[in-house]
Amino acid sequence: MTEDLYEPLGQYEVSLRDAHRKHTADFFEELVRTSGVDEALNAKTAREIRDLEKRAKTSGATVRWWKRLRIAGFGAIAATLYLAYSQHPAWLAGAAALLVGILFWLNPVIKTASDRADSLAKARAEKEAEAWRQMATLNSLFDWDIFAKLVSKTVPKIELDPYFTNARLTNLHQSYGWSDAFNQGRSVMFAHTGLVSGNPFIMAQTLRHWIGAKTYSGSLTIHWTEVVRDSNGRTNSVSRSQTLRASVTKPFPEYQTESILIYGNQAAPDLSFSRQPSSLSGLDDGLINNWRKSQAIKKLEAKARKLAAGSGFTPMANREFDALFAAGDRDHEVQFRMLFTPLAQQEIVKILKDKAIGFGDNFTFKKIRKINVVEPAHLVGADISAAPEMFRFYDLAVARARFNDYHNALFKAFYFAFAPILAIPLYQQHRPAEDIYAGVIQGSCFWEHEAIANYMGERCFAHPDCITRNVLKTVSQESQNGAQRVNVTAYGYRGDDRVDYISMRGDDGRTHEVPVHWVDYIPVNRTSELLVCHETPASTLATSEEASPQPQSSWRGHFAQHGVSPENAIARRSLFAALIR
């Protein structure tokens, strides 16, 4: 699987999908062999757990039925006591009989059933603990780097870093013009980084924050009396009422999780353009749909005629590509054609029109000089972390299914985020010079620090008065021998109750003040200190060159210097981290 991926859709369907399934399945089975788990014994234990669950569920339902019967019995006792009081004392005998039945027959039955349910629940818990012990070795083998290994095996030209380093970020800044302005108002939830044919990329999920608006409503019911005259000329007092409703719009903190692919390539360095998903891409062939596409093409041709010769927009020979991709704001026609050769146009059209293999036209694509940004809708809400804990389980069969299903689905999502990039041959052919001489990469960057903090949970860092989500931002204080002290600041809002009074005129002819209660969101923040250490003595970015490791102190030693027990650290992507203040 070392060939270039100039036909990303077809190559996924013909070879890559099945290859990745095989690599994933083989990898899991190798983990099972390495762990020495007795699959037959674990399957037997899992069956016993399911049997105990079923029996415990049935026993619990029986207990609930008997308890409902007891409640009904006490209701009957209350009813007979009422009859004895209101009609005849003879009803007391019936009440006494019911009470005796409950105390000496029903209660023992309920206790026996409850004891049996408890016994089954205890047996199930013990059996589950046994199953966890059987799976302990295998569960310990699940690590953060498995996804990277599987992707590189299926698509060797895609290499993932162990974590996001300062050197990778610096390279994007200096060689590709990437700006950290993107991170303003955002916190990184997770980020994969690495190389595609030697060119750097970031695939990230971020929490974006902005101040929106919320409308609050309030009401006031007014009452008054009117004197009216009836048809006979007599006057009568009539009570009337009206509900006055008012609203106010106030600032409100908004949050949204976004997924993005950022890719650097020095080919066509002067070109910028953007495109959005097109409703035309999903249309089947047919008289009406073909007419709609032809109208889009005519608009492009009309736009070209309006522009002066030699400047601005010129339609491509492949009119369908122009209509579907619709990058009408491109600003360098020569370089646009260098990227989108006839083959690239053909493959992009296939990707956009696809309904069965990938995800179709669900992405925005922006190119700003040397930076390409793709935002695929299929990544929104998806878990791209491949966190080891999602595969750890007491049932080997379930763990196997989870592992295979997740990694195959993640590879598809990951691959098709890159599909518009892979469809451009020049991007794969252009390899930057600095990658050839890439060396040892030390130190994780603020993207990784934010992701670590979010993995620990924003509530670990939140201000005690905060009632909203928190945007976690980090600043690295110092780095020494593989250890970094990082300030994590949680930005959120407290809520102060307010009341606005809106003047409204009622049908009684008077002006009333309608109260509208709203929440005033006041910014709050809190800063904590995090210690981040490398797991290994040295680490390198994804690169084809070997690098000599540099000596570093043990992460355990760094934690000990700050009075942090190793048990209080989290292990994540070749890094260890713990709160130290």
Side-chain angles (χ1 to χ4, degrees):
M1 297 298 175
T2 59
E3 72 273 13
D4 289 322
L5 298 174
Y6 296 153
E7 301 177 11
L9 187 69
Q11 287 168 281
Y12 177 83
E13 181 184 25
V14 171
S15 61
L16 296 180
R17 176 171 54 197
D18 291 339
H20 195 75
R21 286 175 177 170
K22 184 178 187 304
H23 296 155
T24 300
D26 290 348
F27 193 97
F28 186 86
E29 299 312 318
E30 181 59 31
L31 290 179
V32 173
R33 285 190 289 272
T34 302
S35 71
V37 171
D38 188 331
E39 184 165 0
L41 178 60
N42 181 258
K44 176 176 178 292
T45 306
R47 286 194 300 272
E48 292 171 349
I49 291 171
R50 290 192 293 271
D51 178 64
L52 288 167
E53 282 179 344
K54 183 178 179 180
R55 291 164 60 191
K57 184 178 180 180
T58 301
S59 183
T62 301
V63 171
R64 290 191 294 274
W65 188 89
W66 284 118
K67 287 182 175 179
R68 285 195 293 270
L69 182 60
R70 182 168 61 185
I71 292 171
F74 282 122
I77 290 172
T80 53
L81 289 174
Y82 173 76
L83 291 172
Y85 173 77
S86 61
Q87 295 184 16
H88 196 282
W91 284 101
L92 288 172
L98 285 169
L99 182 60
V100 169
I102 289 173
L103 294 176
F104 292 98
W105 179 75
L106 189 55
N107 278 355
V109 169
I110 292 174
K111 185 178 186 308
T112 300
S114 296
D115 289 345
R116 177 172 175 75
D118 292 343
S119 176
L120 288 169
K122 181 180 179 181
R124 188 216 170 279
E126 291 173 350
K127 190 61 68 173
E128 182 177 323
E130 178 184 340
W132 279 109
R133 288 192 294 272
Q134 294 169 357
M135 289 284 289
T137 306
L138 176 60
N139 286 334
S140 69
L141 295 178
F142 295 124
D143 206 349
W144 288 92
D145 62 353
I146 291 176
F147 176 66
K149 292 177 179 176
L150 291 172
V151 169
S152 295
K153 187 172 180 63
T154 304
V155 189
K157 65 169 54 258
I158 301 179
E159 307 163 83
L160 280 83
D161 300 328
Y163 53 85
F164 198 162
T165 66
N166 276 314
R168 178 70 76 213
L169 184 58
T170 300
N171 175 247
L172 281 163
H173 287 158
Q174 296 178 353
S175 300
Y176 301 91
W178 175 251
S179 171
D180 289 339
F182 168 82
N183 296 84
Q184 293 177 6
R186 282 183 169 89
S187 182
V188 179
M189 308 297 287
F190 191 87
H192 287 295
T193 61
L195 302 171
V196 179
S197 298
N199 296 286
F201 73 85
I202 307 168
M203 180 179 288
Q205 287 183 326
T206 65
L207 178 67
R208 184 168 72 92
H209 163 58
W210 70 99
I211 295 297
K214 180 176 179 178
T215 299
Y216 300 83
S217 299
S219 63
L220 176 68
T221 301
I222 60 175
H223 302 269
W224 72 95
T225 301
E226 293 183 357
V227 177
V228 299
R229 191 179 300 275
D230 62 20
S231 58
N232 296 322
R234 292 189 296 267
T235 58
N236 297 291
S237 295
V238 179
S239 296
R240 301 197 185 280
S241 65
Q242 179 188 17
T243 300
L244 303 177
R245 303 183 189 280
S247 62
V248 296
T249 300
K250 299 292 183 180
F252 182 77
E254 303 272 9
Y255 301 88
Q256 179 176 304
T257 301
E258 297 180 338
S259 299
I260 191 169
L261 171 63
I262 301 158
Y263 170 75
N265 196 298
Q266 295 173 350
D270 305 311
L271 171 66
S272 295
F273 67 80
S274 65
R275 63 91 52 186
Q276 300 289 328
S278 171
S279 59
L280 299 177
S281 299
L283 298 180
D284 296 321
D285 290 332
L287 182 62
I288 300 299
N289 291 338
N290 288 339
W291 177 82
R292 290 178 62 187
K293 293 177 184 178
S294 69
Q295 292 300 109
I297 292 171
K298 288 180 179 178
K299 288 181 180 179
L300 292 172
E301 293 171 342
K303 178 180 178 180
R305 286 193 294 270
K306 290 180 181 179
L307 297 172
S311 65
F313 177 84
T314 303
M316 306 288 279
N318 186 336
R319 295 293 199 265
E320 185 178 28
F321 165 79
D322 249 342
L324 301 185
F325 196 67
D329 61 350
R330 56 194 186 239
D331 60 2
H332 199 299
E333 285 294 328
V334 172
Q335 292 189 3
F336 189 80
R337 281 162 167 72
M338 287 172 56
L339 289 188
F340 294 99
T341 61
L343 175 60
Q345 295 175 49
Q346 171 187 301
E347 293 307 311
I348 288 287
V349 169
K350 288 181 182 178
I351 292 169
L352 296 177
K353 296 175 70 174
D354 168 53
K355 294 182 179 179
I357 303 167
F359 299 93
D361 186 0
N362 75 337
F363 60 91
T364 65
F365 189 161
K366 297 178 183 178
K367 184 179 189 302
I368 308 165
R369 304 297 181 256
K370 300 175 186 177
I371 291 291
N372 299 261
V373 177
V374 180
E375 295 185 63
H378 66 262
L379 287 183
V380 175
D383 185 346
I384 65 171
S385 68
E389 56 264 26
M390 70 174 67
F391 312 118
R392 293 171 182 149
F393 200 56
Y394 65 80
D395 186 335
L396 176 56
V398 174
R400 176 184 284 113
R402 287 181 181 176
F403 186 91
N404 284 280
D405 291 347
Y406 175 84
H407 278 287
N408 289 323
L410 179 57
F411 175 71
K412 178 181 178 180
F414 182 88
Y415 177 84
F416 278 102
F418 278 98
I421 300 292
L422 297 173
I424 301 173
L426 186 59
Y427 276 172
Q428 296 184 56
Q429 296 162 3
H430 192 282
R431 191 177 184 92
E434 65 266 16
D435 176 61
I436 298 172
Y437 306 103
V440 174
I441 303 301
Q442 303 281 359
S444 47
C445 73
F446 76 91
W447 284 65
E448 195 67 49
H449 300 157
E450 289 181 13
I452 290 171
N454 279 300
Y455 179 72
M456 295 175 71
E458 61 185 64
R459 283 294 150 194
C460 294
F461 306 93
H463 189 283
D465 295 336
C466 180
I467 64 169
T468 65
R469 294 205 65 175
N470 287 266
V471 173
L472 305 183
K473 303 300 294 181
T474 63
V475 176
S476 184
Q477 296 181 5
E478 57 186 82
S479 179
Q480 184 178 11
N481 295 326
Q484 292 173 275
R485 296 167 65 96
V486 178
N487 282 344
V488 181
T489 302
Y491 296 92
Y493 297 85
R494 76 169 193 262
D496 291 353
D497 293 331
R498 310 284 192 214
V499 182
D500 280 3
Y501 291 91
I502 309 301
S503 297
M504 298 192 68
R505 189 171 180 82
D507 290 345
D508 61 354
R510 300 171 60 189
T511 298
H512 302 269
E513 300 298 316
V514 179
V516 180
H517 296 263
W518 59 281
V519 178
D520 189 8
Y521 289 92
I522 309 298
V524 293
N525 64 78
R526 178 189 182 208
T527 299
S528 307
E529 192 172 341
L530 201 63
L531 183 66
V532 179
C533 301
H534 300 153
E535 178 182 20
T536 54
S539 57
T540 61
L541 272 181
T543 174
S544 58
E545 299 294 318
E546 291 293 329
S548 301
Q550 302 296 321
Q552 294 178 340
S553 301
S554 164
W555 65 270
R556 295 178 183 273
H558 286 298
F559 282 0
Q561 292 174 15
H562 292 85
V564 178
S565 171
E567 288 73 25
N568 293 329
I570 64 160
R572 183 183 179 279
R573 303 187 74 205
S574 301
L575 298 171
F576 284 84
L579 276 168
I580 58 176
R581 181 171 63 86

